[in-house]
Amino acid sequence: MRQNAYPKAEHDAGGPAPAAARIGGPGTVLGETQVTEFLAEQLADAELDDRSVCVVVPDGTRSCPLPLLLSAVHGALAGRVSRLTVLIALGTHAAMDEHRLAQHLGYPEGDLHARYPGMTVRNHEWWDPGTFVSLGTISADRVGELSGGLLHQAVDVRLNRAVVDHDVTLVLGPVFPHEVVGFSGGNKYFFPGVAGAEIIDLSHWLGALITSADIIGTRGITPVRALIDEAAALIPGRRLALCVVAQSGTSGALHSVAYGTPEAAWAAAAEVSAETHVRYLDAPVRRVLSVMPEKYEDIWTAAKGFYKLEPVVADGGEVVLYAPHITQLSAMHPEIADIGYHCRDYFTEQWDRFRHLHWGVLAHSTHLRGAGTYDPVRGERCRLTVTLATGIPEDVVRAANLNHLDPAEVDFDAFAADPETLVVPHAGEILHRLRTN
């Protein structure tokens, strides 16, 4: 009888929700051999022989040692499964070209099969209506229940047909504090990762109504998590997940790996992320300089440098996003330049002006502008100033209701020497919060 070296995920037999298997934890850094052996052990017992498997992975805006993880999955499944497809969960981000895919997945450019024989890789082509299949509708009454009464609107749940066309889908990706759902990962790789616009817009606007500052880093099932779990339950095939907790600022280190259903694996990883990816300050700061890595190629993605710092900035303070390499607000959503960046109440108090637009774009607008108020007489009053020190032209920045700073004028030594300023290198992943006791 074979002896298992690692804990096994419990399989659902109609009883309580299955538990995830997990290795590592807060303060741990796993070795590559540990990770590979754990994944091999879990997938060996996953009853995947002769099944078609779709592996849903993040795009380049998420940090994790994807070549290591994908190689372990490929090694465990190649020759066993009837078909193996990797689907890049773009959400509504730009597609990854061959050069970037090769770097991202770790294979020689132009020769996928040199490292991953028999495997196919596809971008989630969210711009093509033919990409999707409808799984059904979540009723307005049910949306009202899940959202705590914030929204009452039915939603068509559309998903990339590649998921439906495979027997099993394996989510593979990291978990971090997240501005829309609380903690990323798990079923979020389906919705919004490879989903249609309807569920993306609804879920993101729900998060915006709650506000990023109130939902980011919230443990447990938030209203947005409840909504995407409800949508995921409509997927006809079997769902599995490998959820990892990456060491921020590195390209290859992992604190933890969890395997099981998307719900169980996500919950196990989120516990570790909550202890690993949150930094506490004793007092608020007046200013933050968020230094954005080059993996964030526009403000649409680099806005994470604001989301993760907003909670620790004092009223009237400022967040500076330093990213000289960024030259546009959004590669795929140019309408944000016309809408601009505004607080939630700016939209809700003038809803008839904005309800026809993509709610996901409105949500992004509120997430970057942060807390504030609006009334027709006094106008908009935001809690913080948001300043872009980027390659975006000043007139574009100011027209979008943000402040501009020439990145050449950023004096890092002066920022660092200011006791009221917090300088955050490699911003965008670690959530900063104020200590409450």
Side-chain angles (χ1 to χ4, degrees):
M1 180 175 177
R2 182 169 60 89
Q3 297 297 311
N4 293 330
Y6 296 101
K8 308 301 292 185
E10 297 176 11
H11 295 287
D12 188 3
R22 190 180 82 189
I23 57 170
T28 300
V29 177
L30 299 171
E32 291 188 4
T33 300
Q34 286 177 282
V35 172
T36 300
E37 290 181 352
F38 174 76
L39 297 188
E41 286 278 350
Q42 300 307 315
L43 294 174
D45 287 351
E47 300 178 1
L48 298 175
D49 290 359
D50 300 320
R51 303 286 186 175
S52 57
V53 178
C54 179
V55 184
V56 180
V57 303
D59 67 6
T61 63
R62 305 304 196 257
S63 293
C64 73
L66 195 52
L68 167 66
L69 297 170
L70 192 57
S71 288
V73 169
H74 180 269
L77 299 184
R80 289 178 56 201
V81 301
S82 62
R83 182 162 46 113
L84 185 61
T85 303
V86 169
L87 183 62
I88 309 295
L90 296 175
T92 60
H93 296 170
M96 301 186 74
D97 61 20
E98 172 61 17
H99 176 69
R100 292 181 180 180
L101 282 173
Q103 290 184 320
H104 188 49
L105 304 181
Y107 64 85
E109 186 172 346
D111 193 3
L112 172 67
H113 292 168
R115 182 163 185 172
Y116 303 110
M119 191 174 82
T120 301
V121 175
R122 298 168 54 177
N123 278 294
H124 167 58
E125 297 178 337
W126 57 268
W127 52 89
D128 179 4
T131 293
F132 300 101
V133 60
S134 177
L135 304 181
T137 300
I138 302 176
S139 71
D141 286 346
R142 184 58 177 154
V143 169
E145 293 174 5
L146 296 168
S147 69
L150 289 174
L151 289 171
H152 292 84
Q153 176 168 316
V155 60
D156 182 17
V157 180
R158 292 191 303 143
L159 191 67
N160 192 302
R161 65 177 60 252
V163 173
V164 178
D165 289 346
H166 287 74
D167 299 318
V168 180
T169 303
L170 175 66
V171 168
L172 173 61
V175 172
F176 286 101
H178 194 272
E179 65 279 1
V180 174
V181 69
F183 281 88
S184 64
N187 285 324
K188 188 176 178 296
Y189 276 89
F190 297 116
F191 308 99
V194 293
E198 299 86 357
I199 190 74
I200 292 177
D201 283 346
L202 189 77
S203 60
H204 279 66
W205 187 239
L206 175 56
L209 291 174
I210 298 170
T211 75
S212 169
D214 281 348
I215 204 170
I216 193 168
T218 298
R219 298 190 191 213
I221 305 299
T222 64
V224 183
R225 173 65 61 177
L227 177 65
I228 64 176
D229 283 352
E230 184 91 356
L234 298 175
I235 297 173
R238 187 177 174 204
R239 293 176 291 117
L240 298 169
L242 287 162
C243 295
V244 305
V245 180
Q247 185 177 39
S248 181
T250 69
S251 59
L254 292 174
H255 294 295
S256 179
V257 183
Y259 169 80
T261 66
E263 296 82 3
W266 166 80
E271 288 180 1
V272 180
S273 179
E275 300 296 328
T276 304
H277 295 143
V278 183
R279 176 186 174 190
Y280 290 92
L281 275 61
D282 292 323
V285 296
R286 181 180 60 85
R287 182 175 60 177
V288 169
L289 178 66
S290 286
V291 182
M292 305 310 301
E294 293 198 1
K295 68 180 179 181
Y296 302 119
E297 298 179 349
D298 57 9
I299 295 301
W300 186 272
T301 54
K304 289 183 181 293
F306 176 83
Y307 312 150
K308 302 289 172 67
L309 276 304
E310 179 187 7
V312 299
V313 183
D315 291 352
E318 178 185 28
V319 176
V320 180
L321 298 181
Y322 178 82
H325 64 281
I326 290 179
T327 59
Q328 55 188 331
L329 294 175
S330 176
M332 305 308 295
H333 302 280
E335 64 267 35
I336 192 64
D338 298 321
I339 297 168
Y341 290 90
H342 301 280
C343 68
R344 176 196 63 188
D345 293 2
Y346 180 88
F347 296 114
T348 58
E349 295 300 317
Q350 307 177 87
W351 191 232
D352 287 344
R353 286 183 56 194
F354 297 105
R355 66 186 309 155
H356 66 286
L357 300 172
H358 276 298
W359 293 3
V361 178
L362 301 183
H364 165 71
S365 173
T366 71
H367 290 149
L368 179 57
R369 201 62 189 87
T373 60
Y374 174 85
D375 69 62
V377 177
R378 294 184 298 173
E380 185 177 22
R381 296 186 176 187
C382 292
R383 190 178 79 84
L384 303 179
T385 296
V386 182
T387 300
L388 302 188
T390 66
I392 303 172
E394 180 175 358
D395 60 331
V396 174
V397 172
R398 296 196 181 278
N401 198 36
L402 302 175
N403 277 16
H404 173 271
L405 174 64
D406 185 340
E409 296 179 5
V410 173
D411 185 335
F412 279 87
D413 291 337
F415 272 80
D418 181 359
E420 295 187 283
T421 295
L422 175 67
V423 178
V424 182
H426 199 83
E429 292 178 346
I430 301 298
L431 172 62
H432 291 65
R433 277 183 165 166
L434 294 175
R435 224 178 285 277
T436 56
N437 51 34

